[in-house]
Amino acid sequence: MGFTSPWHWAIVAVVVIILFGSKKLPDAARGLGRSLRIFKSEVKEMQNDGKSDTDTTTAQQPAAPAQLPPPAPVAPTNVEAQHDAKSA
């Protein structure tokens, strides 16, 4: 039987109410919610800072040529020529 049984959770809830009192619990929950909101916004800001850093590094690189010439044809190697000869 693990810690997740309903009786265990009920005992934990009663102990928390006895320790902190019923008047302080809503304030504690409100403070926890504010802290989590601030934490989420800071994490999001850090992710946006990382994206803007990569955007500035790509903007500083020289632009690629508009159009590259087509690649030159490549002669088949000996292995490809032998394979083609066997299959024909």
Side-chain angles (χ1 to χ4, degrees):
M1 197 151 167
F3 182 70
T4 58
S5 77
W7 286 108
H8 288 129
W9 285 111
I11 292 170
V12 169
V14 168
V15 169
V16 167
I17 290 172
I18 290 172
L19 286 176
F20 295 107
S22 60
K23 292 189 178 194
K24 289 186 180 181
L25 285 178
D27 292 335
R30 199 172 300 118
L32 180 65
R34 287 182 188 148
S35 299
L36 288 176
R37 231 177 287 128
I38 292 169
F39 179 73
K40 266 177 73 174
S41 68
E42 291 297 324
V43 168
K44 194 174 191 178
E45 185 65 31
M46 286 175 56
Q47 289 174 347
N48 288 341
D49 285 347
K51 288 180 183 177
S52 66
D53 288 345
T54 57
D55 291 343
T56 57
T57 57
T58 56
Q60 293 173 354
Q61 294 176 351
Q67 188 176 5
L68 296 174
V74 178
T77 61
N78 288 339
V79 175
E80 292 172 346
Q82 290 173 355
H83 180 64
D84 290 339
K86 287 180 185 178
S87 63

